[in-house]
Amino acid sequence: MDPLIEVRDLTKTYSAGAARSWALRGVSLSMARGEFAAIMGRSGSGKSTFMNIVGCLARQSSGVYRLDGIDVSRLSRDELAAIRNTKIGFVFQSFNLLPRTSAIENVELPLLYNRTVGSTSRLVRARQALAMVGLEGLEGRHPNELSGGQQQRVAIARSLVNSPEMILADEPTGALDTRNGVELMAIFQELNRRQGITILLVTHDPDIAAFARRVIRFRDGLVVDDETIRRPRDAHEALAETMPAAGVPAGADGGSR
Amino acid sequence: MRSMAPPVRMAIRALRANSVRSGLTILGVVIGVAAVIATVAVGSGARDRIQKQIASIGSNLIVVLPGSLTASGIRLGTGNALSLTEDDARALAAECPSVALAAPVVRQAQQVVAGVSNWATGIVGTTPDFLAVRDLEVARGAAFTWQDVDGAAKVALLGETVVRNLFPAGGAVGQSVRIRNVPFIVVGVLAPKGQSPSGQDQDDVILIPISTAKKKVLGSSLASAGAVGSIMTQARSAAVIKTAQEEMRSLLRQRHHLQTPQEDDFTIRNLEDVFNAQESSARVMAMLLAAIASVSLLVGGIGIMNVMLVSVTERTREIGLRLAVGARTRDILLQFLAEAVVLASAGGLLGVVAGLAGAAIISRIAGWSIVLSGPAILLAFFFSGMVGVFFGFYPAQKAALLDPIEALHYE
Ligand SMILES: Nc1ncnc2c1ncn2[C@@H]1O[C@H](COP(=O)(O)OP(=O)(O)O)[C@@H](O)[C@H]1O
Ligand SMILES: [Mg+2]
């Protein structure tokens, strides 16, 4: 079976006037279905650039990227949009929720662009996704009525709603405090273990990366280290140990061993 | 349907979030559409009124006058003033297939006396066909008959204005009036017709048999030759007015022995021709207003384009997000196009309301009648939507072609 993500000699250059700067200098790696990987590296090392290409939001300058066996560099703008819609869920550092729009409508957004989903099942699926991240009952809240952690969970629900193959999260905990960050990781671990969703996230924080089962390190546009973690930390346990009073977030209840 | 409804819903929501800006933006469209609607309402009201008046003079009426007219409508002195005869009238009715009726007319202003009252009015000597040609009806009493014409009976049909001035106490029928000292019996009173399009009182008239008019009322010059002042004819239908005019012209040329190079010694005119001049000045007015309307629609459209460009810039991150979660180029294009169209159509809708209100006010103040035209309202509404499409397209396309990454990270 093909790996879900396969990149070879991937480069990306930005031309600023006459000068060319290299964001990626030849990245090769592959990720199987069901993996949970964290990308680490200094600022400017090319992590976001890599994520954007993997997420079909940008195209590489050279090299090959196969997603699910498909060479996506050959696809049109709208075909890429369709892949983003159905195969990939994005979670951003700054949440990127629509203001003045309820949580449930934010979650429904990707379904508006999926023509196989009717308006009734749109609502059902959005409700389910919100329940999965422990936000049932808050469907009608607008982003400004939600905490940062809750907003990021709405964003995760939005990334889940089309049942994607993988979730790409570029510094998802960057705007959250430690506790909310760990709760987010609990949700990711849950999704990864229970539903087999492939998760690739970027983080600066080694404590966050410790929840992943694989850590990939970038430096100056190259992969310099790629290690598999035998026994990753369990986010539920971490929550129970360090912050027993706060309890476990609803909907992420089955994880502790 | 499902693919269209969400963009419209999204558009309405986005516009309501900025309701003051949206309201100001559509003002140009509102004014443009209101101008169109008011113009059409008042303009077609005027046309309607003229047409009603033309019909009041007589439907499908064609007038034959002696002498020729220049293009500008001035009668040339060279024409033979006595070139039309009663025989011509009879021939027109009998030999022109498209002509239904033809009534010879002689006319003179006379002082009329009844008891102590007297009144100066127009005496029209004609035949009973005149009533049908002019769509006249007898309100009281009866019309004079063909026997009255043959016998040159001294009978008269009075218009309402004449009755009012000669018989203020009422009861004209059966009474006697003196025209040029000749006593006439009033056999009937005509139903009132009101003003003609040129402002004449059509009820200030007395109809008498043409034979009597020639023998007793008019000077000898007309009486001698069987000549008439004009012939009023009626075409069989509105569709054959032109045909009837052609038939009459060739028949009269033949009867008057006119050779090819010779000009007509008569003039044939239908009422449409007469009032077209009036209408053309109304048309200039309408064109002026249409120009104002299109300028304000243009300004309104540019306003919409401007506000849509601002909106696209403000919502760059939203667009980036939508692209990231799978919106295709077309989806974004449609979303912003829908917004522009909703904006413009809202302006159109308000414009229709404002235009109708304006027309109603104009008609109240100026006393003009207005005609509300459904198609014109739909067209104006549709046109405002098209303004939205046209001026919304560039901003929408700009939004749809944004780079997802750049849009997502736009500050
Ligand atoms: N749109 C862009 N134009 C020019 N240079 C860019 C652009 N995006 C990223 N870069 C450059 O590419 C390099 C890698 O950036 P990025 O992938 O954002 O790094 P990271 O996410 O690891 O901080 C940096 O040197 C950055 O300045
Ligand atoms: Mg980055």
Side-chain angles (χ1 to χ4, degrees), chain B residues 322-367:
Chain B
R322 288 178 184 275
L323 289 170
V325 301
R328 289 155 300 171
T329 310
R330 214 192 55 178
D331 295 320
I332 303 290
L333 189 78
L334 216 64
Q335 179 189 343
F336 282 89
L337 217 47
E339 212 170 298
V341 170
V342 167
L343 202 56
S345 308
L349 205 62
L350 282 177
V352 168
V353 172
L356 293 181
I361 291 169
I362 289 172
S363 83
R364 187 59 78 70
I365 292 172

mmCIF file of all heavy atoms in Angstrom, chain B residues 322-367:
data_model
loop_
_atom_site.group_PDB
_atom_site.id
_atom_site.type_symbol
_atom_site.label_atom_id
_atom_site.label_comp_id
_atom_site.label_asym_id
_atom_site.label_seq_id
_atom_site.Cartn_x
_atom_site.Cartn_y
_atom_site.Cartn_z
ATOM 1 N N ARG B 322 -11.494 30.018 3.326
ATOM 2 C CA ARG B 322 -12.437 29.292 2.474
ATOM 3 C C ARG B 322 -11.689 28.486 1.411
ATOM 4 O O ARG B 322 -12.029 27.329 1.142
ATOM 5 C CB ARG B 322 -13.415 30.266 1.804
ATOM 6 C CG ARG B 322 -14.434 30.837 2.776
ATOM 7 C CD ARG B 322 -15.353 31.833 2.088
ATOM 8 N NE ARG B 322 -16.265 32.463 3.032
ATOM 9 C CZ ARG B 322 -17.433 31.955 3.420
ATOM 10 N NH1 ARG B 322 -17.840 30.812 2.900
ATOM 11 N NH2 ARG B 322 -18.183 32.577 4.288
ATOM 12 N N LEU B 323 -10.657 29.115 0.822
ATOM 13 C CA LEU B 323 -9.867 28.387 -0.169
ATOM 14 C C LEU B 323 -9.204 27.182 0.491
ATOM 15 O O LEU B 323 -9.169 26.087 -0.074
ATOM 16 C CB LEU B 323 -8.812 29.310 -0.780
ATOM 17 C CG LEU B 323 -9.351 30.401 -1.709
ATOM 18 C CD1 LEU B 323 -8.245 31.400 -2.045
ATOM 19 C CD2 LEU B 323 -9.910 29.796 -2.990
ATOM 20 N N ALA B 324 -8.687 27.361 1.714
ATOM 21 C CA ALA B 324 -7.989 26.270 2.388
ATOM 22 C C ALA B 324 -8.926 25.091 2.648
ATOM 23 O O ALA B 324 -8.522 23.941 2.510
ATOM 24 C CB ALA B 324 -7.397 26.763 3.704
ATOM 25 N N VAL B 325 -10.170 25.377 3.012
ATOM 26 C CA VAL B 325 -11.081 24.270 3.319
ATOM 27 C C VAL B 325 -11.814 23.757 2.086
ATOM 28 O O VAL B 325 -12.732 22.958 2.210
ATOM 29 C CB VAL B 325 -12.105 24.625 4.417
ATOM 30 C CG1 VAL B 325 -11.387 25.027 5.693
ATOM 31 C CG2 VAL B 325 -13.067 25.704 3.950
ATOM 32 N N GLY B 326 -11.399 24.217 0.895
ATOM 33 C CA GLY B 326 -11.883 23.545 -0.304
ATOM 34 C C GLY B 326 -12.763 24.356 -1.233
ATOM 35 O O GLY B 326 -13.338 23.805 -2.169
ATOM 36 N N ALA B 327 -12.899 25.672 -0.990
ATOM 37 C CA ALA B 327 -13.682 26.466 -1.930
ATOM 38 C C ALA B 327 -12.958 26.510 -3.265
ATOM 39 O O ALA B 327 -11.748 26.731 -3.312
ATOM 40 C CB ALA B 327 -13.874 27.877 -1.390
ATOM 41 N N ARG B 328 -13.714 26.263 -4.347
ATOM 42 C CA ARG B 328 -13.111 26.386 -5.666
ATOM 43 C C ARG B 328 -13.208 27.840 -6.129
ATOM 44 O O ARG B 328 -13.957 28.630 -5.557
ATOM 45 C CB ARG B 328 -13.838 25.488 -6.674
ATOM 46 C CG ARG B 328 -13.578 24.011 -6.457
ATOM 47 C CD ARG B 328 -14.697 23.195 -7.004
ATOM 48 N NE ARG B 328 -15.939 23.581 -6.320
ATOM 49 C CZ ARG B 328 -17.135 23.174 -6.685
ATOM 50 N NH1 ARG B 328 -17.281 22.387 -7.719
ATOM 51 N NH2 ARG B 328 -18.203 23.555 -6.007
ATOM 52 N N THR B 329 -12.440 28.155 -7.168
ATOM 53 C CA THR B 329 -12.460 29.505 -7.733
ATOM 54 C C THR B 329 -13.896 29.978 -7.933
ATOM 55 O O THR B 329 -14.261 31.094 -7.579
ATOM 56 C CB THR B 329 -11.742 29.487 -9.099
ATOM 57 O OG1 THR B 329 -10.484 28.844 -8.922
ATOM 58 C CG2 THR B 329 -11.527 30.886 -9.613
ATOM 59 N N ARG B 330 -14.696 29.064 -8.493
ATOM 60 C CA ARG B 330 -16.074 29.418 -8.814
ATOM 61 C C ARG B 330 -16.887 29.739 -7.560
ATOM 62 O O ARG B 330 -17.750 30.607 -7.574
ATOM 63 C CB ARG B 330 -16.708 28.243 -9.560
ATOM 64 C CG ARG B 330 -17.702 28.641 -10.595
ATOM 65 C CD ARG B 330 -18.461 27.426 -11.044
ATOM 66 N NE ARG B 330 -19.057 26.758 -9.887
ATOM 67 C CZ ARG B 330 -19.824 25.674 -9.971
ATOM 68 N NH1 ARG B 330 -20.044 25.128 -11.134
ATOM 69 N NH2 ARG B 330 -20.339 25.138 -8.883
ATOM 70 N N ASP B 331 -16.615 28.998 -6.477
ATOM 71 C CA ASP B 331 -17.380 29.224 -5.244
ATOM 72 C C ASP B 331 -17.161 30.631 -4.720
ATOM 73 O O ASP B 331 -18.111 31.317 -4.318
ATOM 74 C CB ASP B 331 -16.959 28.205 -4.171
ATOM 75 C CG ASP B 331 -17.304 26.774 -4.563
ATOM 76 O OD1 ASP B 331 -18.391 26.577 -5.133
ATOM 77 O OD2 ASP B 331 -16.492 25.876 -4.306
ATOM 78 N N ILE B 332 -15.893 31.061 -4.719
ATOM 79 C CA ILE B 332 -15.580 32.405 -4.209
ATOM 80 C C ILE B 332 -16.143 33.465 -5.149
ATOM 81 O O ILE B 332 -16.742 34.448 -4.718
ATOM 82 C CB ILE B 332 -14.052 32.586 -4.066
ATOM 83 C CG1 ILE B 332 -13.475 31.508 -3.145
ATOM 84 C CG2 ILE B 332 -13.716 33.978 -3.558
ATOM 85 C CD1 ILE B 332 -13.850 31.661 -1.702
ATOM 86 N N LEU B 333 -15.972 33.213 -6.445
ATOM 87 C CA LEU B 333 -16.500 34.150 -7.441
ATOM 88 C C LEU B 333 -17.991 34.345 -7.224
ATOM 89 O O LEU B 333 -18.505 35.462 -7.168
ATOM 90 C CB LEU B 333 -16.226 33.593 -8.842
ATOM 91 C CG LEU B 333 -16.525 34.537 -10.004
ATOM 92 C CD1 LEU B 333 -15.391 35.540 -10.134
ATOM 93 C CD2 LEU B 333 -16.680 33.766 -11.299
ATOM 94 N N LEU B 334 -18.681 33.221 -7.077
ATOM 95 C CA LEU B 334 -20.131 33.241 -6.908
ATOM 96 C C LEU B 334 -20.521 33.969 -5.625
ATOM 97 O O LEU B 334 -21.481 34.725 -5.599
ATOM 98 C CB LEU B 334 -20.638 31.800 -6.865
ATOM 99 C CG LEU B 334 -21.983 31.549 -7.511
ATOM 100 C CD1 LEU B 334 -21.900 31.830 -8.994
ATOM 101 C CD2 LEU B 334 -22.401 30.109 -7.279
ATOM 102 N N GLN B 335 -19.750 33.721 -4.575
ATOM 103 C CA GLN B 335 -20.074 34.334 -3.284
ATOM 104 C C GLN B 335 -20.041 35.859 -3.388
ATOM 105 O O GLN B 335 -20.969 36.536 -2.947
ATOM 106 C CB GLN B 335 -19.081 33.865 -2.219
ATOM 107 C CG GLN B 335 -19.342 34.496 -0.860
ATOM 108 C CD GLN B 335 -18.228 34.201 0.129
ATOM 109 O OE1 GLN B 335 -17.429 33.282 -0.073
ATOM 110 N NE2 GLN B 335 -18.184 34.968 1.192
ATOM 111 N N PHE B 336 -18.976 36.379 -3.980
ATOM 112 C CA PHE B 336 -18.857 37.839 -4.030
ATOM 113 C C PHE B 336 -19.749 38.434 -5.111
ATOM 114 O O PHE B 336 -20.260 39.542 -4.965
ATOM 115 C CB PHE B 336 -17.392 38.250 -4.204
ATOM 116 C CG PHE B 336 -16.638 38.150 -2.913
ATOM 117 C CD1 PHE B 336 -16.007 36.972 -2.558
ATOM 118 C CD2 PHE B 336 -16.604 39.215 -2.035
ATOM 119 C CE1 PHE B 336 -15.344 36.863 -1.352
ATOM 120 C CE2 PHE B 336 -15.948 39.116 -0.826
ATOM 121 C CZ PHE B 336 -15.314 37.935 -0.479
ATOM 122 N N LEU B 337 -19.944 37.666 -6.165
ATOM 123 C CA LEU B 337 -20.883 38.129 -7.188
ATOM 124 C C LEU B 337 -22.283 38.206 -6.596
ATOM 125 O O LEU B 337 -23.019 39.178 -6.815
ATOM 126 C CB LEU B 337 -20.850 37.147 -8.361
ATOM 127 C CG LEU B 337 -20.986 37.724 -9.760
ATOM 128 C CD1 LEU B 337 -20.082 38.925 -9.955
ATOM 129 C CD2 LEU B 337 -20.675 36.655 -10.792
ATOM 130 N N ALA B 338 -22.638 37.193 -5.820
ATOM 131 C CA ALA B 338 -23.953 37.184 -5.164
ATOM 132 C C ALA B 338 -24.092 38.397 -4.259
ATOM 133 O O ALA B 338 -25.145 39.035 -4.223
ATOM 134 C CB ALA B 338 -24.136 35.904 -4.365
ATOM 135 N N GLU B 339 -23.004 38.730 -3.593
ATOM 136 C CA GLU B 339 -23.063 39.873 -2.686
ATOM 137 C C GLU B 339 -23.321 41.157 -3.477
ATOM 138 O O GLU B 339 -24.167 41.970 -3.093
ATOM 139 C CB GLU B 339 -21.741 39.967 -1.928
ATOM 140 C CG GLU B 339 -21.893 40.504 -0.538
ATOM 141 C CD GLU B 339 -20.609 40.345 0.249
ATOM 142 O OE1 GLU B 339 -20.191 39.181 0.440
ATOM 143 O OE2 GLU B 339 -20.041 41.351 0.653
ATOM 144 N N ALA B 340 -22.600 41.305 -4.585
ATOM 145 C CA ALA B 340 -22.788 42.510 -5.404
ATOM 146 C C ALA B 340 -24.198 42.554 -5.980
ATOM 147 O O ALA B 340 -24.836 43.612 -6.037
ATOM 148 C CB ALA B 340 -21.749 42.548 -6.521
ATOM 149 N N VAL B 341 -24.684 41.386 -6.413
ATOM 150 C CA VAL B 341 -26.017 41.353 -7.026
ATOM 151 C C VAL B 341 -27.097 41.628 -5.976
ATOM 152 O O VAL B 341 -28.046 42.375 -6.226
ATOM 153 C CB VAL B 341 -26.259 40.002 -7.737
ATOM 154 C CG1 VAL B 341 -27.704 39.872 -8.166
ATOM 155 C CG2 VAL B 341 -25.343 39.876 -8.934
ATOM 156 N N VAL B 342 -26.929 41.039 -4.789
ATOM 157 C CA VAL B 342 -27.904 41.300 -3.724
ATOM 158 C C VAL B 342 -27.906 42.785 -3.386
ATOM 159 O O VAL B 342 -28.957 43.415 -3.256
ATOM 160 C CB VAL B 342 -27.585 40.450 -2.473
ATOM 161 C CG1 VAL B 342 -28.381 40.939 -1.275
ATOM 162 C CG2 VAL B 342 -27.886 38.987 -2.739
ATOM 163 N N LEU B 343 -26.703 43.350 -3.308
ATOM 164 C CA LEU B 343 -26.566 44.779 -3.018
ATOM 165 C C LEU B 343 -27.301 45.608 -4.076
ATOM 166 O O LEU B 343 -28.143 46.454 -3.768
ATOM 167 C CB LEU B 343 -25.075 45.121 -3.004
ATOM 168 C CG LEU B 343 -24.579 46.346 -2.262
ATOM 169 C CD1 LEU B 343 -25.003 46.290 -0.814
ATOM 170 C CD2 LEU B 343 -23.066 46.420 -2.350
ATOM 171 N N ALA B 344 -26.989 45.317 -5.333
ATOM 172 C CA ALA B 344 -27.579 46.099 -6.422
ATOM 173 C C ALA B 344 -29.085 45.866 -6.511
ATOM 174 O O ALA B 344 -29.849 46.797 -6.765
ATOM 175 C CB ALA B 344 -26.904 45.750 -7.741
ATOM 176 N N SER B 345 -29.518 44.621 -6.298
ATOM 177 C CA SER B 345 -30.946 44.337 -6.405
ATOM 178 C C SER B 345 -31.712 44.993 -5.268
ATOM 179 O O SER B 345 -32.844 45.448 -5.468
ATOM 180 C CB SER B 345 -31.218 42.836 -6.383
ATOM 181 O OG SER B 345 -30.428 42.198 -7.341
ATOM 182 N N ALA B 346 -31.088 45.034 -4.086
ATOM 183 C CA ALA B 346 -31.731 45.751 -2.980
ATOM 184 C C ALA B 346 -31.901 47.206 -3.370
ATOM 185 O O ALA B 346 -32.959 47.807 -3.153
ATOM 186 C CB ALA B 346 -30.896 45.622 -1.715
ATOM 187 N N GLY B 347 -30.859 47.766 -4.002
ATOM 188 C CA GLY B 347 -30.967 49.125 -4.510
ATOM 189 C C GLY B 347 -32.075 49.243 -5.537
ATOM 190 O O GLY B 347 -32.846 50.203 -5.542
ATOM 191 N N GLY B 348 -32.174 48.234 -6.409
ATOM 192 C CA GLY B 348 -33.210 48.229 -7.434
ATOM 193 C C GLY B 348 -34.596 48.208 -6.814
ATOM 194 O O GLY B 348 -35.493 48.946 -7.222
ATOM 195 N N LEU B 349 -34.743 47.351 -5.800
ATOM 196 C CA LEU B 349 -36.038 47.209 -5.137
ATOM 197 C C LEU B 349 -36.449 48.529 -4.485
ATOM 198 O O LEU B 349 -37.564 49.019 -4.682
ATOM 199 C CB LEU B 349 -35.932 46.111 -4.078
ATOM 200 C CG LEU B 349 -37.222 45.406 -3.703
ATOM 201 C CD1 LEU B 349 -37.785 44.694 -4.919
ATOM 202 C CD2 LEU B 349 -36.959 44.405 -2.596
ATOM 203 N N LEU B 350 -35.512 49.113 -3.734
ATOM 204 C CA LEU B 350 -35.791 50.401 -3.098
ATOM 205 C C LEU B 350 -36.061 51.465 -4.153
ATOM 206 O O LEU B 350 -36.917 52.325 -3.973
ATOM 207 C CB LEU B 350 -34.601 50.824 -2.225
ATOM 208 C CG LEU B 350 -34.492 50.130 -0.877
ATOM 209 C CD1 LEU B 350 -33.234 50.591 -0.141
ATOM 210 C CD2 LEU B 350 -35.717 50.432 -0.037
ATOM 211 N N GLY B 351 -35.298 51.379 -5.251
ATOM 212 C CA GLY B 351 -35.472 52.342 -6.335
ATOM 213 C C GLY B 351 -36.864 52.251 -6.944
ATOM 214 O O GLY B 351 -37.487 53.261 -7.253
ATOM 215 N N VAL B 352 -37.361 51.016 -7.119
ATOM 216 C CA VAL B 352 -38.714 50.836 -7.660
ATOM 217 C C VAL B 352 -39.724 51.490 -6.726
ATOM 218 O O VAL B 352 -40.603 52.252 -7.161
ATOM 219 C CB VAL B 352 -39.032 49.332 -7.841
ATOM 220 C CG1 VAL B 352 -40.509 49.129 -8.104
ATOM 221 C CG2 VAL B 352 -38.214 48.753 -8.988
ATOM 222 N N VAL B 353 -39.565 51.223 -5.424
ATOM 223 C CA VAL B 353 -40.501 51.804 -4.449
ATOM 224 C C VAL B 353 -40.422 53.331 -4.488
ATOM 225 O O VAL B 353 -41.439 54.025 -4.589
ATOM 226 C CB VAL B 353 -40.178 51.275 -3.030
ATOM 227 C CG1 VAL B 353 -41.014 52.012 -1.996
ATOM 228 C CG2 VAL B 353 -40.428 49.779 -2.962
ATOM 229 N N ALA B 354 -39.163 53.843 -4.456
ATOM 230 C CA ALA B 354 -38.987 55.297 -4.465
ATOM 231 C C ALA B 354 -39.516 55.902 -5.760
ATOM 232 O O ALA B 354 -40.132 56.973 -5.754
ATOM 233 C CB ALA B 354 -37.514 55.654 -4.277
ATOM 234 N N GLY B 355 -39.298 55.210 -6.879
ATOM 235 C CA GLY B 355 -39.755 55.706 -8.176
ATOM 236 C C GLY B 355 -41.274 55.780 -8.235
ATOM 237 O O GLY B 355 -41.846 56.757 -8.726
ATOM 238 N N LEU B 356 -41.933 54.729 -7.726
ATOM 239 C CA LEU B 356 -43.396 54.728 -7.739
ATOM 240 C C LEU B 356 -43.935 55.836 -6.836
ATOM 241 O O LEU B 356 -44.883 56.536 -7.201
ATOM 242 C CB LEU B 356 -43.922 53.362 -7.268
ATOM 243 C CG LEU B 356 -43.611 52.196 -8.214
ATOM 244 C CD1 LEU B 356 -44.184 50.905 -7.680
ATOM 245 C CD2 LEU B 356 -44.159 52.486 -9.600
ATOM 246 N N ALA B 357 -43.278 55.991 -5.682
ATOM 247 C CA ALA B 357 -43.707 57.060 -4.773
ATOM 248 C C ALA B 357 -43.520 58.412 -5.443
ATOM 249 O O ALA B 357 -44.412 59.268 -5.406
ATOM 250 C CB ALA B 357 -42.912 56.982 -3.472
ATOM 251 N N GLY B 358 -42.353 58.581 -6.093
ATOM 252 C CA GLY B 358 -42.078 59.838 -6.786
ATOM 253 C C GLY B 358 -43.107 60.115 -7.872
ATOM 254 O O GLY B 358 -43.630 61.225 -7.997
ATOM 255 N N ALA B 359 -43.425 59.079 -8.646
ATOM 256 C CA ALA B 359 -44.406 59.239 -9.725
ATOM 257 C C ALA B 359 -45.762 59.625 -9.149
ATOM 258 O O ALA B 359 -46.470 60.480 -9.698
ATOM 259 C CB ALA B 359 -44.506 57.946 -10.530
ATOM 260 N N ALA B 360 -46.111 58.982 -8.020
ATOM 261 C CA ALA B 360 -47.398 59.294 -7.394
ATOM 262 C C ALA B 360 -47.438 60.749 -6.948
ATOM 263 O O ALA B 360 -48.442 61.443 -7.129
ATOM 264 C CB ALA B 360 -47.636 58.365 -6.206
ATOM 265 N N ILE B 361 -46.313 61.218 -6.389
ATOM 266 C CA ILE B 361 -46.252 62.606 -5.928
ATOM 267 C C ILE B 361 -46.348 63.562 -7.113
ATOM 268 O O ILE B 361 -47.107 64.534 -7.096
ATOM 269 C CB ILE B 361 -44.946 62.848 -5.127
ATOM 270 C CG1 ILE B 361 -45.030 62.085 -3.802
ATOM 271 C CG2 ILE B 361 -44.730 64.338 -4.874
ATOM 272 C CD1 ILE B 361 -43.721 62.034 -3.048
ATOM 273 N N ILE B 362 -45.600 63.239 -8.178
ATOM 274 C CA ILE B 362 -45.651 64.086 -9.373
ATOM 275 C C ILE B 362 -47.073 64.171 -9.898
ATOM 276 O O ILE B 362 -47.581 65.238 -10.218
ATOM 277 C CB ILE B 362 -44.709 63.528 -10.469
ATOM 278 C CG1 ILE B 362 -43.254 63.742 -10.056
ATOM 279 C CG2 ILE B 362 -44.978 64.211 -11.808
ATOM 280 C CD1 ILE B 362 -42.261 63.067 -10.974
ATOM 281 N N SER B 363 -47.734 63.029 -9.958
ATOM 282 C CA SER B 363 -49.082 63.020 -10.531
ATOM 283 C C SER B 363 -50.033 63.804 -9.629
ATOM 284 O O SER B 363 -50.950 64.461 -10.102
ATOM 285 C CB SER B 363 -49.568 61.590 -10.726
ATOM 286 O OG SER B 363 -50.105 61.091 -9.531
ATOM 287 N N ARG B 364 -49.786 63.741 -8.307
ATOM 288 C CA ARG B 364 -50.622 64.483 -7.376
ATOM 289 C C ARG B 364 -50.425 65.982 -7.576
ATOM 290 O O ARG B 364 -51.381 66.745 -7.709
ATOM 291 C CB ARG B 364 -50.223 64.051 -5.966
ATOM 292 C CG ARG B 364 -51.059 64.557 -4.815
ATOM 293 C CD ARG B 364 -52.521 64.175 -4.872
ATOM 294 N NE ARG B 364 -52.847 62.823 -4.480
ATOM 295 C CZ ARG B 364 -52.782 62.343 -3.242
ATOM 296 N NH1 ARG B 364 -52.333 63.085 -2.273
ATOM 297 N NH2 ARG B 364 -53.157 61.120 -2.971
ATOM 298 N N ILE B 365 -49.149 66.402 -7.660
ATOM 299 C CA ILE B 365 -48.844 67.829 -7.741
ATOM 300 C C ILE B 365 -49.194 68.396 -9.110
ATOM 301 O O ILE B 365 -49.864 69.417 -9.227
ATOM 302 C CB ILE B 365 -47.350 68.082 -7.427
ATOM 303 C CG1 ILE B 365 -47.081 67.772 -5.952
ATOM 304 C CG2 ILE B 365 -46.955 69.525 -7.748
ATOM 305 C CD1 ILE B 365 -45.612 67.805 -5.590
ATOM 306 N N ALA B 366 -48.735 67.704 -10.169
ATOM 307 C CA ALA B 366 -48.905 68.244 -11.512
ATOM 308 C C ALA B 366 -50.246 67.850 -12.114
ATOM 309 O O ALA B 366 -50.620 68.328 -13.169
ATOM 310 C CB ALA B 366 -47.764 67.769 -12.410
ATOM 311 N N GLY B 367 -50.942 66.937 -11.459
ATOM 312 C CA GLY B 367 -52.224 66.500 -11.973
ATOM 313 C C GLY B 367 -52.110 65.626 -13.210
ATOM 314 O O GLY B 367 -53.060 65.490 -13.962
#
